[in-house]
Amino acid sequence: MATHYVVRSVDRAEPDVIAALREAGVATAHEAAGRVGLLGPAIQARQTGHAIAGSAITVSCHPGDNLMIHAAVEVCRPGDVLVVTTTSPSTDGMFGDLLATSLRARGVLGLVIDAGVRDIATLREMGFPVWSRAVHAQGTVKASPGSVNVPVVAAGQLVRPGDIVVADEDGVLALPAARGRAVAGAAAERLANEAGKRERLAAGTLGVDLYNLRPLLDELGVRYVDRLPEDPA
């Protein structure tokens, strides 16, 4: 018989590092990290205007069964992000407004789930952000064992307990806590660099000149002409 666990202790990143990555956002943090850690695009934001970052509390569930989500609530702390996966593909509505109410009481910032959510209108009214594979009214049971705070795979990306999860309208990123400070520093440098580029672009500089792309276009055989050559036929 398989062994299942609820692991109570998680090593979390420092709050200032998490806050810096939230400010940077998913796209910038992903670039700063070397383009690693991004969950696949099947998991999408179900509300607009939300950007969060926190420590991952991971859940592995049987598909169509949300028992272990209920078990996970107890080990959550303020500032955490719940990351839920299933052991085989599922789009069932495993999470709704009642679980959101319970998580909010524990200070959880939001949910990332590689399955479905429901009660989406109420979740939006609550302002509880979710990123999910589906929105689906199909209900679930509470009958099958799983695990809390074990490594899981969400939309093709490994997520470990305590990973820094950054989520906004561009997607979801998971980074090892040990890399957080270095990535946050690199992200700050990117943001400063982009601010300068933004000013130049706003002043009318073209991207092909800003990035010195004209030599590359020439090398690739791209030619500028006023009109296409006449077809001799």
Side-chain angles (χ1 to χ4, degrees):
M1 182 176 180
T3 302
H4 303 280
Y5 299 96
V6 175
V7 181
R8 297 188 183 95
S9 299
V10 172
D11 295 325
R12 295 167 170 84
E14 293 298 319
D16 66 311
V17 172
I18 294 173
L21 290 171
R22 181 183 66 79
E23 289 299 319
V26 169
T28 296
H30 178 236
E31 295 286 350
R35 297 187 177 181
V36 299
L38 197 62
L39 275 63
I43 294 183
Q44 299 183 13
R46 300 301 169 179
Q47 298 100 323
T48 59
H50 288 281
I52 65 171
S55 299
I57 297 297
T58 62
V59 188
S60 176
C61 295
H62 189 83
D65 191 316
N66 70 357
L67 173 64
M68 298 312 298
I69 302 179
H70 286 275
V73 175
E74 184 178 9
V75 301
C76 291
R77 295 183 186 174
D80 287 341
V81 176
L82 196 68
V83 180
V84 178
T85 64
T86 55
T87 54
S88 61
S90 176
T91 56
D92 292 348
M94 298 179 61
F95 183 95
D97 68 301
L98 294 179
L99 270 167
T101 300
S102 186
L103 287 177
R104 173 160 285 175
R106 305 288 293 187
V108 174
L109 300 176
L111 169 81
V112 175
I113 181 169
D114 197 354
V117 297
R118 61 182 188 175
D119 304 327
I120 193 67
T122 306
L123 291 173
R124 287 172 177 156
E125 289 174 5
M126 293 173 61
F128 188 87
V130 297
W131 286 257
S132 71
R133 179 173 289 272
V135 175
H136 193 23
Q138 176 64 51
T140 57
V141 299
K142 299 170 180 61
S144 306
S147 290
V148 175
N149 282 332
V150 298
V152 298
V153 175
Q157 176 60 45
L158 177 66
V159 183
R160 306 168 190 83
D163 276 1
I164 303 170
V165 175
V166 187
D168 58 26
E169 291 181 74
D170 285 336
V172 181
L173 178 70
L175 296 171
R179 290 201 63 203
R181 192 167 295 279
V183 174
E189 292 178 5
R190 287 188 64 88
L191 289 172
N193 182 262
E194 288 174 359
K197 290 178 180 177
R198 192 173 293 107
E199 289 181 3
R200 293 180 62 185
L201 291 169
T205 300
L206 297 174
V208 290
D209 295 318
L210 179 66
Y211 297 105
N212 192 31
L213 298 176
R214 295 188 190 277
L216 176 60
L217 290 170
D218 184 65
E219 181 183 337
L220 294 173
V222 179
R223 300 291 177 259
Y224 285 81
V225 296
D226 292 326
R227 295 179 184 274
L228 288 175
E230 294 289 338
D231 187 345

